[in-house]
Amino acid sequence: MTFELFGYSIGSAPIIGFHYGAGNQEELKNLFQKSLVIVIIGAICMTGLAELFASPLAKIFVGYQAELLEMTRHGFCLFSLSFLFSGFNIFSSAFFTALNNGVISALISFLRTLLFQVIAVIVLPLLFGIDGIWAAIVVAELLAMFVAVGLLIKKRKQYRYI
């Protein structure tokens, strides 16, 4: 999921940057709205596929032991929920890069890939045991999404994409 969204985000960035630089707010709004739809549909589909194929995928790697297979399947089902949020975060970071705002882009990336993950990996296992480890990425992406949404709302008048 993340590879496709990185590809989409990187591929759409020059187009977004061009329309921003040209002052074409209508096309910038159009690209932003269509991109959100693509990211949301992609996230839902990928999460659904991951949940659907969790058992066969786990079986490829740990099919030799039933207990380990179940733990892996369960963990992957928890982890796959992160796909619901990661696409939005990846696109938001790339979007701000395309708007020539590397600081916000870097902030979103730093929060989702380091700070929130480290905090979640330390705190969640204390509360939820091994499920806390699997859910750490989900919580980190969710927290980063809240930050990204807040920044998108805050900067909407400056860049006029909404």
Side-chain angles (χ1 to χ4, degrees):
M1 174 65 181
T2 56
F3 291 124
E4 292 84 9
L5 289 172
F6 275 120
Y8 177 79
S9 298
I10 290 168
S12 64
I15 301 165
I16 291 166
F18 172 80
H19 288 292
Y20 172 67
N24 190 350
Q25 279 88 26
E26 287 306 312
E27 189 56 29
L28 187 61
K29 288 177 188 179
N30 182 40
L31 286 167
F32 181 73
Q33 290 169 353
K34 286 180 179 177
S35 294
L36 288 181
V37 170
I38 289 168
V39 167
I40 290 167
I41 290 171
I44 292 168
C45 289
M46 192 61 183
T47 303
L49 287 170
E51 295 285 330
L52 183 66
F53 291 109
S55 291
L57 288 171
K59 211 174 265 188
I60 292 170
F61 297 100
V62 294
Y64 52 86
Q65 186 181 17
E67 185 178 328
L68 184 56
L69 175 64
E70 178 52 29
M71 182 177 71
T72 304
R73 186 205 60 76
H74 175 72
F76 185 67
C77 285
L78 288 175
F79 173 84
S80 68
L81 295 174
S82 71
F83 299 153
L84 292 171
F85 314 113
S86 64
F88 181 83
N89 295 333
I90 291 166
F91 176 74
S92 296
S93 178
F95 187 72
F96 280 112
T97 298
L99 298 177
N100 201 30
N101 194 329
V103 172
I104 290 180
S105 175
L107 177 67
I108 293 168
S109 292
F110 172 75
L111 292 174
R112 69 176 284 268
T113 61
L114 185 63
L115 185 64
F116 290 155
Q117 281 189 33
V118 168
I119 293 168
V121 165
I122 292 169
V123 173
L124 292 180
L126 298 173
L127 301 172
F128 303 108
I130 195 163
D131 283 352
I133 295 170
W134 291 109
I137 187 74
V138 179
V139 171
E141 291 288 358
L142 180 62
L143 292 172
M145 187 185 78
F146 288 140
V147 171
V149 167
L151 291 167
L152 285 165
I153 291 169
K154 181 179 179 183
K155 296 294 186 177
R156 73 185 182 274
K157 289 181 184 174
Q158 179 182 351
Y159 296 113
R160 299 185 196 139
Y161 47 80
I162 296 177

